[in-house]
Amino acid sequence: MEMACSNIKTLPEDCVSTILSLTTPQDACRMLLVSRAVRPAAESDTVWDRFLPCDCWDIVARSDTPLKFSSKKELFFILSDSILIDGGNKAFALEKSSGLKSYILSARELSILYSNEQNSWSWKSIPNSRFAEVAELKTAGRLEIRGTIRTRILSPHTTYGAYLLIKISDRAFGLDSIPCETSIIASDRVLDTSTTYLRELDNKKQQLENLFYWNRMQMLKGRVNKGDEKLPSKKKDGWLEIELGEFLVSERDEVVTMSLVEIKGHQLKGGLIIQGIEVRPKY
Amino acid sequence: MSSPEEKTLILKSSDNEEFLVKESVAVQCITIKNLVEDGCDLDAIPLLNVDSKNLAWIIEFMEKYADSTSTDAEKKDFDTEFVKKPFNDVLGLILAANYLNFPALMDVMCDACANEMKLWSVEQVREKFHIQNDYTEEEEKAVRAENFWAFE
């Protein structure tokens, strides 16, 4: 009896699958290396069904292109590679190691002030964008960019970060003389606020400009709420991302509004390109 | 709060030890529930694949879970202490819970086993479960390459 209990080979395959389904996708793939005998259990639908989100069939139905898969494991990896859904206006992906959900809302899904006015914003296609269209700021005095997401479509009990995906064109002007205010608001309460500069790091031209306009920038900064004065980070795909804030997905379903706003500088700006807002697990 | 007519069952382990358990408690094991519903009229129900060590633990677990006065928090604390057993015993209880078809015990023990496995390397898993690596060197390289991201 003692010997039999300590050998996984005598554990029926469905027991092994049950145990593995309680680990993570990363662990299940590591366990593939244990032995040939463990493979069928580690690749079974029992395990990978548990790693897929409970609304995954709804998401599959909303995919832009029909998804082809012959096992739940295959479906998991298709989804972890990111798919376009909702007429190409959103992207959805599972985090490979954990199975947690993430979304990118395209610029068309956001509420951008004056985005319908041809003098202020233009919509165009550029290579290297996940979506068919991005929005480019031609000229405007105010920036108000907002996206919303329902927490029930996200993974529960997870802290999410919201990131505005942008590029700053060579012709950009007026974007970084005053920090923008970022916020995350749920229903009626403010979950996170901060400030950010719309500028690329190590941009020699901007550093020179800053030298000249130092006094003016200090004065403008005073108009804005105190914040971390974050800077965009560069991503591998060449886009910049600005963290708008973070929030924890709790039990109750609510609408979270993620914003970047600049309305206190009263000066014209242009050359900001927006791909969308990414909402992904932070920890 | 058992009524005078509440039935008691005798469960007999593979090593012939007998345990008295109230029927309402024992039927958490679907295998036993089916036997009772099929009108099993044996004096004692023989559990050929469960030894007395495991059966004593299983009965302890069943009685905690059948107790309507224990809260969820109390059950959770009980579970935390209950799973603190040598790994071979954890596996033994999983086998027994599977044989007896006892979902609540299965969940708790499999969860405990999974939590251990998450912390182990592939080599440690082989050691703890006494599994031989039956991959050839080429096969092992191929599996590792296919799943390289999991090892980063």
Side-chain angles (χ1 to χ4, degrees), chain A residues 5-8 12 15 19 26-27 30 32-36 39 96, chain B residues 88 91 98 106 114 118 120 126 129-131 134-135 139 143-144 149-150:
Chain A
C5 295
S6 63
N7 189 326
I8 205 178
C15 280
I19 295 167
Q26 183 164 15
D27 292 315
R30 283 193 311 122
L32 287 170
L33 207 63
V34 168
S35 78
R36 274 198 218 131
R39 270 202 97 131
K96 233 193 299 210
Chain B
N88 282 347
L91 284 185
N98 187 54
M106 205 48 189
K118 281 187 211 174
W120 295 338
R126 286 184 191 137
F129 285 90
H130 303 290
I131 305 174
D134 56 359
Y135 282 121
E139 280 172 343
V143 174
R144 198 175 267 275
W149 63 273

PDB file of all heavy atoms in Angstrom, chain A residues 5-8 12 15 19 26-27 30 32-36 39 96, chain B residues 88 91 98 106 114 118 120 126 129-131 134-135 139 143-144 149-150:
ATOM      1  N   CYS A   5       1.097   4.192  -3.100  1.00  0.00           N
ATOM      2  CA  CYS A   5       0.646   5.574  -2.922  1.00  0.00           C
ATOM      3  C   CYS A   5       1.686   6.581  -3.370  1.00  0.00           C
ATOM      4  O   CYS A   5       1.358   7.716  -3.652  1.00  0.00           O
ATOM      5  CB  CYS A   5       0.347   5.838  -1.437  1.00  0.00           C
ATOM      6  SG  CYS A   5      -1.025   4.861  -0.875  1.00  0.00           S
ATOM      7  N   SER A   6       2.966   6.198  -3.390  1.00  0.00           N
ATOM      8  CA  SER A   6       3.967   7.227  -3.652  1.00  0.00           C
ATOM      9  C   SER A   6       4.365   7.281  -5.115  1.00  0.00           C
ATOM     10  O   SER A   6       5.247   8.012  -5.480  1.00  0.00           O
ATOM     11  CB  SER A   6       5.203   6.976  -2.799  1.00  0.00           C
ATOM     12  OG  SER A   6       5.764   5.739  -3.188  1.00  0.00           O
ATOM     13  N   ASN A   7       3.696   6.527  -5.962  1.00  0.00           N
ATOM     14  CA  ASN A   7       4.074   6.518  -7.364  1.00  0.00           C
ATOM     15  C   ASN A   7       2.954   7.128  -8.199  1.00  0.00           C
ATOM     16  O   ASN A   7       1.858   6.627  -8.230  1.00  0.00           O
ATOM     17  CB  ASN A   7       4.311   5.060  -7.798  1.00  0.00           C
ATOM     18  CG  ASN A   7       4.919   4.985  -9.179  1.00  0.00           C
ATOM     19  OD1 ASN A   7       4.623   5.813 -10.043  1.00  0.00           O
ATOM     20  ND2 ASN A   7       5.758   3.998  -9.392  1.00  0.00           N
ATOM     21  N   ILE A   8       3.301   8.218  -8.903  1.00  0.00           N
ATOM     22  CA  ILE A   8       2.245   8.912  -9.645  1.00  0.00           C
ATOM     23  C   ILE A   8       1.657   8.015 -10.719  1.00  0.00           C
ATOM     24  O   ILE A   8       0.535   8.225 -11.142  1.00  0.00           O
ATOM     25  CB  ILE A   8       2.776  10.243 -10.232  1.00  0.00           C
ATOM     26  CG1 ILE A   8       1.635  11.234 -10.457  1.00  0.00           C
ATOM     27  CG2 ILE A   8       3.507  10.011 -11.541  1.00  0.00           C
ATOM     28  CD1 ILE A   8       2.091  12.568 -10.972  1.00  0.00           C
ATOM     29  N   PRO A  12      -4.568   7.467 -10.931  1.00  0.00           N
ATOM     30  CA  PRO A  12      -5.265   7.459 -12.220  1.00  0.00           C
ATOM     31  C   PRO A  12      -5.058   8.780 -12.956  1.00  0.00           C
ATOM     32  O   PRO A  12      -4.869   9.818 -12.316  1.00  0.00           O
ATOM     33  CB  PRO A  12      -6.740   7.301 -11.837  1.00  0.00           C
ATOM     34  CG  PRO A  12      -6.754   6.875 -10.424  1.00  0.00           C
ATOM     35  CD  PRO A  12      -5.475   7.279  -9.791  1.00  0.00           C
ATOM     36  N   CYS A  15      -6.943  11.830 -11.854  1.00  0.00           N
ATOM     37  CA  CYS A  15      -6.469  12.447 -10.599  1.00  0.00           C
ATOM     38  C   CYS A  15      -5.318  13.382 -10.901  1.00  0.00           C
ATOM     39  O   CYS A  15      -5.243  14.493 -10.376  1.00  0.00           O
ATOM     40  CB  CYS A  15      -5.961  11.394  -9.608  1.00  0.00           C
ATOM     41  SG  CYS A  15      -7.271  10.573  -8.730  1.00  0.00           S
ATOM     42  N   ILE A  19      -5.177  17.451 -10.268  1.00  0.00           N
ATOM     43  CA  ILE A  19      -4.125  18.150  -9.525  1.00  0.00           C
ATOM     44  C   ILE A  19      -3.497  19.230 -10.404  1.00  0.00           C
ATOM     45  O   ILE A  19      -3.337  20.376  -9.980  1.00  0.00           O
ATOM     46  CB  ILE A  19      -3.038  17.159  -9.042  1.00  0.00           C
ATOM     47  CG1 ILE A  19      -3.625  16.184  -8.026  1.00  0.00           C
ATOM     48  CG2 ILE A  19      -1.853  17.914  -8.432  1.00  0.00           C
ATOM     49  CD1 ILE A  19      -2.725  14.997  -7.734  1.00  0.00           C
ATOM     50  N   GLN A  26       1.712  27.689 -16.680  1.00  0.00           N
ATOM     51  CA  GLN A  26       3.168  27.575 -16.709  1.00  0.00           C
ATOM     52  C   GLN A  26       3.617  26.268 -16.054  1.00  0.00           C
ATOM     53  O   GLN A  26       4.460  25.554 -16.590  1.00  0.00           O
ATOM     54  CB  GLN A  26       3.798  28.764 -15.995  1.00  0.00           C
ATOM     55  CG  GLN A  26       5.306  28.758 -16.038  1.00  0.00           C
ATOM     56  CD  GLN A  26       5.912  30.092 -15.671  1.00  0.00           C
ATOM     57  OE1 GLN A  26       5.247  30.960 -15.118  1.00  0.00           O
ATOM     58  NE2 GLN A  26       7.175  30.265 -15.977  1.00  0.00           N
ATOM     59  N   ASP A  27       3.036  25.945 -14.895  1.00  0.00           N
ATOM     60  CA  ASP A  27       3.408  24.709 -14.203  1.00  0.00           C
ATOM     61  C   ASP A  27       3.014  23.481 -15.013  1.00  0.00           C
ATOM     62  O   ASP A  27       3.758  22.511 -15.080  1.00  0.00           O
ATOM     63  CB  ASP A  27       2.731  24.643 -12.827  1.00  0.00           C
ATOM     64  CG  ASP A  27       3.271  25.699 -11.882  1.00  0.00           C
ATOM     65  OD1 ASP A  27       4.504  25.858 -11.828  1.00  0.00           O
ATOM     66  OD2 ASP A  27       2.460  26.373 -11.218  1.00  0.00           O
ATOM     67  N   ARG A  30       5.556  22.959 -17.574  1.00  0.00           N
ATOM     68  CA  ARG A  30       6.808  22.469 -16.981  1.00  0.00           C
ATOM     69  C   ARG A  30       6.694  20.976 -16.724  1.00  0.00           C
ATOM     70  O   ARG A  30       7.635  20.208 -16.962  1.00  0.00           O
ATOM     71  CB  ARG A  30       7.111  23.168 -15.656  1.00  0.00           C
ATOM     72  CG  ARG A  30       7.651  24.582 -15.781  1.00  0.00           C
ATOM     73  CD  ARG A  30       8.230  25.106 -14.469  1.00  0.00           C
ATOM     74  NE  ARG A  30       7.360  24.929 -13.340  1.00  0.00           N
ATOM     75  CZ  ARG A  30       7.702  24.248 -12.228  1.00  0.00           C
ATOM     76  NH1 ARG A  30       8.879  23.693 -12.112  1.00  0.00           N
ATOM     77  NH2 ARG A  30       6.829  24.142 -11.240  1.00  0.00           N
ATOM     78  N   LEU A  32       5.210  18.772 -18.282  1.00  0.00           N
ATOM     79  CA  LEU A  32       5.322  17.947 -19.487  1.00  0.00           C
ATOM     80  C   LEU A  32       6.694  17.296 -19.550  1.00  0.00           C
ATOM     81  O   LEU A  32       6.865  16.234 -20.149  1.00  0.00           O
ATOM     82  CB  LEU A  32       5.135  18.804 -20.749  1.00  0.00           C
ATOM     83  CG  LEU A  32       3.724  19.275 -21.037  1.00  0.00           C
ATOM     84  CD1 LEU A  32       3.724  20.292 -22.163  1.00  0.00           C
ATOM     85  CD2 LEU A  32       2.838  18.106 -21.414  1.00  0.00           C
ATOM     86  N   LEU A  33       7.669  17.941 -18.905  1.00  0.00           N
ATOM     87  CA  LEU A  33       9.048  17.452 -18.968  1.00  0.00           C
ATOM     88  C   LEU A  33       9.314  16.311 -17.986  1.00  0.00           C
ATOM     89  O   LEU A  33      10.361  15.674 -18.028  1.00  0.00           O
ATOM     90  CB  LEU A  33       9.989  18.637 -18.662  1.00  0.00           C
ATOM     91  CG  LEU A  33      11.383  18.559 -19.257  1.00  0.00           C
ATOM     92  CD1 LEU A  33      11.323  18.551 -20.764  1.00  0.00           C
ATOM     93  CD2 LEU A  33      12.229  19.729 -18.790  1.00  0.00           C
ATOM     94  N   VAL A  34       8.390  16.020 -17.089  1.00  0.00           N
ATOM     95  CA  VAL A  34       8.637  15.019 -16.040  1.00  0.00           C
ATOM     96  C   VAL A  34       8.847  13.633 -16.651  1.00  0.00           C
ATOM     97  O   VAL A  34       9.849  12.970 -16.390  1.00  0.00           O
ATOM     98  CB  VAL A  34       7.481  15.003 -15.017  1.00  0.00           C
ATOM     99  CG1 VAL A  34       7.555  13.796 -14.112  1.00  0.00           C
ATOM    100  CG2 VAL A  34       7.493  16.280 -14.205  1.00  0.00           C
ATOM    101  N   SER A  35       7.883  13.195 -17.438  1.00  0.00           N
ATOM    102  CA  SER A  35       8.037  11.907 -18.122  1.00  0.00           C
ATOM    103  C   SER A  35       6.967  11.787 -19.190  1.00  0.00           C
ATOM    104  O   SER A  35       5.988  12.526 -19.185  1.00  0.00           O
ATOM    105  CB  SER A  35       7.893  10.741 -17.143  1.00  0.00           C
ATOM    106  OG  SER A  35       6.523  10.528 -16.854  1.00  0.00           O
ATOM    107  N   ARG A  36       7.178  10.824 -20.084  1.00  0.00           N
ATOM    108  CA  ARG A  36       6.195  10.583 -21.153  1.00  0.00           C
ATOM    109  C   ARG A  36       4.835  10.236 -20.545  1.00  0.00           C
ATOM    110  O   ARG A  36       3.798  10.619 -21.079  1.00  0.00           O
ATOM    111  CB  ARG A  36       6.640   9.399 -22.026  1.00  0.00           C
ATOM    112  CG  ARG A  36       7.564   9.779 -23.133  1.00  0.00           C
ATOM    113  CD  ARG A  36       7.576   8.665 -24.171  1.00  0.00           C
ATOM    114  NE  ARG A  36       8.916   8.498 -24.699  1.00  0.00           N
ATOM    115  CZ  ARG A  36       9.540   7.335 -24.813  1.00  0.00           C
ATOM    116  NH1 ARG A  36       8.962   6.230 -24.428  1.00  0.00           N
ATOM    117  NH2 ARG A  36      10.762   7.295 -25.306  1.00  0.00           N
ATOM    118  N   ARG A  39       2.507  13.155 -19.764  1.00  0.00           N
ATOM    119  CA  ARG A  39       2.043  14.015 -20.876  1.00  0.00           C
ATOM    120  C   ARG A  39       0.534  14.018 -21.117  1.00  0.00           C
ATOM    121  O   ARG A  39      -0.079  15.072 -21.169  1.00  0.00           O
ATOM    122  CB  ARG A  39       2.733  13.615 -22.183  1.00  0.00           C
ATOM    123  CG  ARG A  39       4.031  14.335 -22.462  1.00  0.00           C
ATOM    124  CD  ARG A  39       4.374  14.320 -23.925  1.00  0.00           C
ATOM    125  NE  ARG A  39       3.968  15.528 -24.576  1.00  0.00           N
ATOM    126  CZ  ARG A  39       4.751  16.246 -25.368  1.00  0.00           C
ATOM    127  NH1 ARG A  39       5.994  15.850 -25.589  1.00  0.00           N
ATOM    128  NH2 ARG A  39       4.301  17.323 -25.951  1.00  0.00           N
ATOM    129  N   LYS A  96       0.072  34.077 -20.717  1.00  0.00           N
ATOM    130  CA  LYS A  96       0.433  32.660 -20.851  1.00  0.00           C
ATOM    131  C   LYS A  96       0.712  31.969 -19.531  1.00  0.00           C
ATOM    132  O   LYS A  96       0.290  30.854 -19.304  1.00  0.00           O
ATOM    133  CB  LYS A  96       1.680  32.548 -21.738  1.00  0.00           C
ATOM    134  CG  LYS A  96       1.460  31.581 -22.875  1.00  0.00           C
ATOM    135  CD  LYS A  96       2.699  31.178 -23.614  1.00  0.00           C
ATOM    136  CE  LYS A  96       3.428  32.293 -24.277  1.00  0.00           C
ATOM    137  NZ  LYS A  96       4.133  31.823 -25.486  1.00  0.00           N
TER     138      LYS A  96
ATOM    139  N   ASN B  88       3.613  11.609   1.014  1.00  0.00           N
ATOM    140  CA  ASN B  88       3.092  10.277   0.662  1.00  0.00           C
ATOM    141  C   ASN B  88       1.694  10.062   1.222  1.00  0.00           C
ATOM    142  O   ASN B  88       0.863   9.392   0.595  1.00  0.00           O
ATOM    143  CB  ASN B  88       4.015   9.167   1.180  1.00  0.00           C
ATOM    144  CG  ASN B  88       5.233   9.013   0.299  1.00  0.00           C
ATOM    145  OD1 ASN B  88       5.271   9.548  -0.814  1.00  0.00           O
ATOM    146  ND2 ASN B  88       6.231   8.310   0.776  1.00  0.00           N
ATOM    147  N   LEU B  91      -0.819  11.917  -0.973  1.00  0.00           N
ATOM    148  CA  LEU B  91      -1.143  11.111  -2.161  1.00  0.00           C
ATOM    149  C   LEU B  91      -2.073   9.957  -1.800  1.00  0.00           C
ATOM    150  O   LEU B  91      -3.001   9.635  -2.553  1.00  0.00           O
ATOM    151  CB  LEU B  91       0.136  10.557  -2.794  1.00  0.00           C
ATOM    152  CG  LEU B  91       0.969  11.551  -3.600  1.00  0.00           C
ATOM    153  CD1 LEU B  91       2.127  10.841  -4.269  1.00  0.00           C
ATOM    154  CD2 LEU B  91       0.118  12.236  -4.654  1.00  0.00           C
ATOM    155  N   ASN B  98     -10.502   9.365  -4.246  1.00  0.00           N
ATOM    156  CA  ASN B  98     -10.903   9.022  -5.607  1.00  0.00           C
ATOM    157  C   ASN B  98     -11.697   7.722  -5.621  1.00  0.00           C
ATOM    158  O   ASN B  98     -12.743   7.609  -6.240  1.00  0.00           O
ATOM    159  CB  ASN B  98      -9.654   8.904  -6.491  1.00  0.00           C
ATOM    160  CG  ASN B  98     -10.003   8.714  -7.945  1.00  0.00           C
ATOM    161  OD1 ASN B  98     -10.752   9.500  -8.510  1.00  0.00           O
ATOM    162  ND2 ASN B  98      -9.485   7.665  -8.551  1.00  0.00           N
ATOM    163  N   MET B 106     -11.378  15.350  -2.045  1.00  0.00           N
ATOM    164  CA  MET B 106     -10.601  15.374  -3.287  1.00  0.00           C
ATOM    165  C   MET B 106     -10.128  16.799  -3.569  1.00  0.00           C
ATOM    166  O   MET B 106      -8.953  17.036  -3.842  1.00  0.00           O
ATOM    167  CB  MET B 106     -11.527  14.895  -4.406  1.00  0.00           C
ATOM    168  CG  MET B 106     -10.922  14.294  -5.624  1.00  0.00           C
ATOM    169  SD  MET B 106      -9.688  13.058  -5.415  1.00  0.00           S
ATOM    170  CE  MET B 106      -9.186  12.933  -7.098  1.00  0.00           C
ATOM    171  N   ALA B 114      -1.257  20.380  -5.442  1.00  0.00           N
ATOM    172  CA  ALA B 114      -0.936  21.348  -6.492  1.00  0.00           C
ATOM    173  C   ALA B 114      -0.050  22.466  -5.947  1.00  0.00           C
ATOM    174  O   ALA B 114       0.899  22.900  -6.601  1.00  0.00           O
ATOM    175  CB  ALA B 114      -2.212  21.927  -7.094  1.00  0.00           C
ATOM    176  N   LYS B 118       3.755  23.396  -7.423  1.00  0.00           N
ATOM    177  CA  LYS B 118       4.106  24.683  -8.016  1.00  0.00           C
ATOM    178  C   LYS B 118       5.510  25.109  -7.610  1.00  0.00           C
ATOM    179  O   LYS B 118       6.193  25.825  -8.335  1.00  0.00           O
ATOM    180  CB  LYS B 118       3.129  25.768  -7.539  1.00  0.00           C
ATOM    181  CG  LYS B 118       1.799  25.777  -8.239  1.00  0.00           C
ATOM    182  CD  LYS B 118       0.999  26.992  -7.788  1.00  0.00           C
ATOM    183  CE  LYS B 118      -0.477  26.727  -7.811  1.00  0.00           C
ATOM    184  NZ  LYS B 118      -1.278  27.801  -7.250  1.00  0.00           N
ATOM    185  N   TRP B 120       8.052  23.069  -6.894  1.00  0.00           N
ATOM    186  CA  TRP B 120       9.109  22.108  -7.196  1.00  0.00           C
ATOM    187  C   TRP B 120       9.622  22.219  -8.616  1.00  0.00           C
ATOM    188  O   TRP B 120       8.895  22.539  -9.538  1.00  0.00           O
ATOM    189  CB  TRP B 120       8.590  20.670  -6.997  1.00  0.00           C
ATOM    190  CG  TRP B 120       8.232  20.351  -5.596  1.00  0.00           C
ATOM    191  CD1 TRP B 120       8.676  20.969  -4.463  1.00  0.00           C
ATOM    192  CD2 TRP B 120       7.345  19.323  -5.165  1.00  0.00           C
ATOM    193  NE1 TRP B 120       8.122  20.390  -3.357  1.00  0.00           N
ATOM    194  CE2 TRP B 120       7.302  19.372  -3.754  1.00  0.00           C
ATOM    195  CE3 TRP B 120       6.588  18.350  -5.830  1.00  0.00           C
ATOM    196  CZ2 TRP B 120       6.539  18.495  -3.003  1.00  0.00           C
ATOM    197  CZ3 TRP B 120       5.825  17.479  -5.087  1.00  0.00           C
ATOM    198  CH2 TRP B 120       5.800  17.554  -3.681  1.00  0.00           C
ATOM    199  N   ARG B 126       9.896  14.482 -10.007  1.00  0.00           N
ATOM    200  CA  ARG B 126      10.238  13.075 -10.297  1.00  0.00           C
ATOM    201  C   ARG B 126      10.613  12.358  -9.000  1.00  0.00           C
ATOM    202  O   ARG B 126      10.192  11.222  -8.761  1.00  0.00           O
ATOM    203  CB  ARG B 126      11.428  13.004 -11.252  1.00  0.00           C
ATOM    204  CG  ARG B 126      11.092  13.366 -12.686  1.00  0.00           C
ATOM    205  CD  ARG B 126      12.297  13.188 -13.588  1.00  0.00           C
ATOM    206  NE  ARG B 126      12.093  13.763 -14.886  1.00  0.00           N
ATOM    207  CZ  ARG B 126      13.008  14.486 -15.536  1.00  0.00           C
ATOM    208  NH1 ARG B 126      14.190  14.697 -14.978  1.00  0.00           N
ATOM    209  NH2 ARG B 126      12.749  14.964 -16.731  1.00  0.00           N
ATOM    210  N   PHE B 129       7.517  11.854  -6.548  1.00  0.00           N
ATOM    211  CA  PHE B 129       6.544  10.890  -7.045  1.00  0.00           C
ATOM    212  C   PHE B 129       7.202   9.575  -7.467  1.00  0.00           C
ATOM    213  O   PHE B 129       6.519   8.691  -7.968  1.00  0.00           O
ATOM    214  CB  PHE B 129       5.778  11.474  -8.245  1.00  0.00           C
ATOM    215  CG  PHE B 129       4.756  12.506  -7.884  1.00  0.00           C
ATOM    216  CD1 PHE B 129       5.097  13.847  -7.828  1.00  0.00           C
ATOM    217  CD2 PHE B 129       3.444  12.150  -7.617  1.00  0.00           C
ATOM    218  CE1 PHE B 129       4.153  14.811  -7.507  1.00  0.00           C
ATOM    219  CE2 PHE B 129       2.488  13.111  -7.304  1.00  0.00           C
ATOM    220  CZ  PHE B 129       2.842  14.440  -7.241  1.00  0.00           C
ATOM    221  N   HIS B 130       8.504   9.480  -7.299  1.00  0.00           N
ATOM    222  CA  HIS B 130       9.257   8.283  -7.699  1.00  0.00           C
ATOM    223  C   HIS B 130       9.008   7.921  -9.153  1.00  0.00           C
ATOM    224  O   HIS B 130       8.656   6.784  -9.481  1.00  0.00           O
ATOM    225  CB  HIS B 130       8.897   7.081  -6.804  1.00  0.00           C
ATOM    226  CG  HIS B 130       9.135   7.351  -5.352  1.00  0.00           C
ATOM    227  ND1 HIS B 130      10.387   7.482  -4.799  1.00  0.00           N
ATOM    228  CD2 HIS B 130       8.263   7.578  -4.344  1.00  0.00           C
ATOM    229  CE1 HIS B 130      10.264   7.760  -3.509  1.00  0.00           C
ATOM    230  NE2 HIS B 130       9.005   7.832  -3.209  1.00  0.00           N
ATOM    231  N   ILE B 131       9.153   8.919 -10.023  1.00  0.00           N
ATOM    232  CA  ILE B 131       8.927   8.668 -11.452  1.00  0.00           C
ATOM    233  C   ILE B 131      10.277   8.642 -12.156  1.00  0.00           C
ATOM    234  O   ILE B 131      11.122   9.493 -11.919  1.00  0.00           O
ATOM    235  CB  ILE B 131       8.112   9.800 -12.102  1.00  0.00           C
ATOM    236  CG1 ILE B 131       6.803  10.018 -11.359  1.00  0.00           C
ATOM    237  CG2 ILE B 131       7.815   9.498 -13.560  1.00  0.00           C
ATOM    238  CD1 ILE B 131       6.055  11.204 -11.886  1.00  0.00           C
ATOM    239  N   ASP B 134      11.470   8.867 -18.597  1.00  0.00           N
ATOM    240  CA  ASP B 134      11.528   7.918 -19.715  1.00  0.00           C
ATOM    241  C   ASP B 134      11.673   8.601 -21.073  1.00  0.00           C
ATOM    242  O   ASP B 134      11.426   8.005 -22.112  1.00  0.00           O
ATOM    243  CB  ASP B 134      10.296   6.995 -19.707  1.00  0.00           C
ATOM    244  CG  ASP B 134       9.004   7.798 -19.731  1.00  0.00           C
ATOM    245  OD1 ASP B 134       9.067   9.053 -19.734  1.00  0.00           O
ATOM    246  OD2 ASP B 134       7.923   7.190 -19.738  1.00  0.00           O
ATOM    247  N   TYR B 135      12.073   9.867 -21.063  1.00  0.00           N
ATOM    248  CA  TYR B 135      12.358  10.558 -22.326  1.00  0.00           C
ATOM    249  C   TYR B 135      13.771  10.243 -22.775  1.00  0.00           C
ATOM    250  O   TYR B 135      14.673  10.100 -21.960  1.00  0.00           O
ATOM    251  CB  TYR B 135      12.282  12.085 -22.150  1.00  0.00           C
ATOM    252  CG  TYR B 135      10.901  12.682 -22.103  1.00  0.00           C
ATOM    253  CD1 TYR B 135      10.488  13.404 -20.995  1.00  0.00           C
ATOM    254  CD2 TYR B 135      10.026  12.565 -23.180  1.00  0.00           C
ATOM    255  CE1 TYR B 135       9.227  13.992 -20.952  1.00  0.00           C
ATOM    256  CE2 TYR B 135       8.768  13.154 -23.143  1.00  0.00           C
ATOM    257  CZ  TYR B 135       8.378  13.864 -22.027  1.00  0.00           C
ATOM    258  OH  TYR B 135       7.140  14.445 -21.990  1.00  0.00           O
ATOM    259  N   GLU B 139      14.231  13.711 -27.179  1.00  0.00           N
ATOM    260  CA  GLU B 139      12.833  14.004 -26.851  1.00  0.00           C
ATOM    261  C   GLU B 139      12.769  15.082 -25.781  1.00  0.00           C
ATOM    262  O   GLU B 139      11.958  16.006 -25.854  1.00  0.00           O
ATOM    263  CB  GLU B 139      12.128  12.749 -26.333  1.00  0.00           C
ATOM    264  CG  GLU B 139      11.679  11.792 -27.432  1.00  0.00           C
ATOM    265  CD  GLU B 139      11.158  10.478 -26.873  1.00  0.00           C
ATOM    266  OE1 GLU B 139      11.429  10.175 -25.689  1.00  0.00           O
ATOM    267  OE2 GLU B 139      10.502   9.756 -27.624  1.00  0.00           O
ATOM    268  N   VAL B 143      10.884  18.732 -26.028  1.00  0.00           N
ATOM    269  CA  VAL B 143       9.813  19.193 -25.135  1.00  0.00           C
ATOM    270  C   VAL B 143      10.208  20.508 -24.467  1.00  0.00           C
ATOM    271  O   VAL B 143       9.409  21.440 -24.338  1.00  0.00           O
ATOM    272  CB  VAL B 143       9.492  18.131 -24.050  1.00  0.00           C
ATOM    273  CG1 VAL B 143       8.483  18.672 -23.042  1.00  0.00           C
ATOM    274  CG2 VAL B 143       8.958  16.863 -24.685  1.00  0.00           C
ATOM    275  N   ARG B 144      11.485  20.580 -24.056  1.00  0.00           N
ATOM    276  CA  ARG B 144      11.959  21.802 -23.399  1.00  0.00           C
ATOM    277  C   ARG B 144      11.911  22.982 -24.368  1.00  0.00           C
ATOM    278  O   ARG B 144      11.515  24.090 -23.997  1.00  0.00           O
ATOM    279  CB  ARG B 144      13.386  21.589 -22.886  1.00  0.00           C
ATOM    280  CG  ARG B 144      13.823  22.586 -21.836  1.00  0.00           C
ATOM    281  CD  ARG B 144      15.204  22.250 -21.293  1.00  0.00           C
ATOM    282  NE  ARG B 144      15.133  21.437 -20.096  1.00  0.00           N
ATOM    283  CZ  ARG B 144      14.983  21.935 -18.863  1.00  0.00           C
ATOM    284  NH1 ARG B 144      14.854  23.223 -18.671  1.00  0.00           N
ATOM    285  NH2 ARG B 144      14.931  21.131 -17.815  1.00  0.00           N
ATOM    286  N   TRP B 149       9.269  28.964 -22.789  1.00  0.00           N
ATOM    287  CA  TRP B 149       8.794  30.114 -22.017  1.00  0.00           C
ATOM    288  C   TRP B 149       8.461  29.719 -20.585  1.00  0.00           C
ATOM    289  O   TRP B 149       8.564  30.531 -19.664  1.00  0.00           O
ATOM    290  CB  TRP B 149       7.562  30.729 -22.690  1.00  0.00           C
ATOM    291  CG  TRP B 149       6.407  29.785 -22.735  1.00  0.00           C
ATOM    292  CD1 TRP B 149       6.147  28.862 -23.687  1.00  0.00           C
ATOM    293  CD2 TRP B 149       5.388  29.632 -21.743  1.00  0.00           C
ATOM    294  NE1 TRP B 149       5.028  28.140 -23.367  1.00  0.00           N
ATOM    295  CE2 TRP B 149       4.537  28.594 -22.191  1.00  0.00           C
ATOM    296  CE3 TRP B 149       5.107  30.270 -20.540  1.00  0.00           C
ATOM    297  CZ2 TRP B 149       3.426  28.181 -21.465  1.00  0.00           C
ATOM    298  CZ3 TRP B 149       3.998  29.854 -19.807  1.00  0.00           C
ATOM    299  CH2 TRP B 149       3.175  28.825 -20.267  1.00  0.00           C
ATOM    300  N   ALA B 150       8.069  28.453 -20.379  1.00  0.00           N
ATOM    301  CA  ALA B 150       7.671  28.012 -19.042  1.00  0.00           C
ATOM    302  C   ALA B 150       8.870  27.882 -18.105  1.00  0.00           C
ATOM    303  O   ALA B 150       8.711  27.855 -16.885  1.00  0.00           O
ATOM    304  CB  ALA B 150       6.928  26.683 -19.128  1.00  0.00           C
TER     305      ALA B 150
END
